[in-house]
Amino acid sequence: MALEWLALQRRAMHEFGSRVDAVTDWAAPTPDTEWDVADLVRHVIVEQQWIPPLLGGLTLSEAGARVHPLGPDLAAEWHRFAGLAGAAWEVAPPAAPVHLSYGTVTVEHYLREQVSDIVIHSWDLARAAGLDETLDPALVEAVWELLDAQREMLSASGLFAAPIEVSEDAPLQTRLLALTGRDVDSERRAGPTGG
């Protein structure tokens, strides 16, 4: 299972990175209503900055000391920190502990969480930048299975806007996005930043 999610992590990074490289308007609004494109990309890059020290067993405060402000070239920063994060995932033992803000989890748990975050934000970035919104079907299926099983916890967490009602026969990508409060039929969807 860990190897499968490592492969999915590489696919997710490609999904997001290919869209970062295609951005032409960094000030465009995104489905995360408090963010523009630059804010969204910066958020995902900062998440990558945290990965190597956290996978190395550092506490949040220790890891935080290694997270530094990003430079102005966000595309270059994305490629730099995505590469470092990818290398860290490849060597981290799946069952090793990782210290996160809400508690200690395994590397594999953190990996699944990170893949899910990047997949959802890949759609956000595509929508904001006017790019192809079609996500890798294998990623959609894996993240759907993960998040659908956590449906009640997601609603209570406040990480996402309230789910959007969609038909049960809607495409799986549409249902996944709806579960995270994203309405594919509207230009922008109000919701908590980061969700």
Side-chain angles (χ1 to χ4, degrees):
M1 186 63 73
L3 288 176
E4 175 190 345
W5 279 90
L6 276 175
L8 291 170
Q9 188 270 343
R10 290 189 288 269
R11 288 188 185 201
M13 299 298 264
H14 175 75
E15 288 280 290
F16 193 79
S18 65
R19 290 169 171 88
V20 169
D21 289 338
V23 170
T24 58
D25 181 2
W26 292 92
T30 74
D32 296 282
T33 54
E34 296 177 12
W35 287 346
D36 62 17
V37 167
D39 295 327
L40 172 62
V41 172
R42 195 174 290 111
H43 161 75
V44 179
I45 297 171
V46 170
E47 289 290 317
Q48 306 317 300
Q49 285 185 289
W50 282 89
I51 288 168
L54 289 176
L55 293 185
L58 299 187
T59 64
L60 280 177
S61 59
E62 292 168 340
R66 299 191 181 192
V67 175
H68 303 292
L70 299 174
D73 186 344
L74 291 180
E77 295 286 74
W78 161 257
H79 288 290
R80 174 186 174 198
F81 290 108
L84 292 171
W89 286 122
E90 294 289 339
V91 298
V98 180
H99 305 288
L100 300 179
S101 59
Y102 57 84
T104 301
V105 300
T106 64
V107 165
E108 186 168 351
H109 178 101
Y110 184 37
L111 174 60
R112 293 179 186 200
E113 181 181 282
Q114 281 294 306
V115 168
S116 301
D117 190 60
I118 293 170
V119 169
I120 299 302
H121 285 319
S122 292
W123 181 86
D124 291 337
L125 183 54
R127 172 59 59 101
L131 303 171
D132 181 5
E133 297 178 9
T134 306
L135 299 170
D136 183 314
L139 288 170
V140 170
E141 183 175 355
V143 175
W144 166 259
E145 289 180 3
L146 182 69
L147 297 187
D148 187 45
Q150 302 173 4
R151 183 179 290 263
E152 290 186 12
M153 182 274 293
L154 288 176
S155 295
S157 71
L159 292 174
F160 298 109
I164 306 256
E165 290 289 332
V166 294
S167 168
E168 289 186 8
D169 61 358
L172 188 59
Q173 177 173 310
T174 299
R175 287 185 282 147
L176 171 62
L177 293 166
L179 180 59
T180 65
R182 285 152 172 85
D183 186 350
V184 300
D185 294 325
S186 67
E187 282 193 33
R188 296 180 65 200
R189 172 68 186 169
T193 296

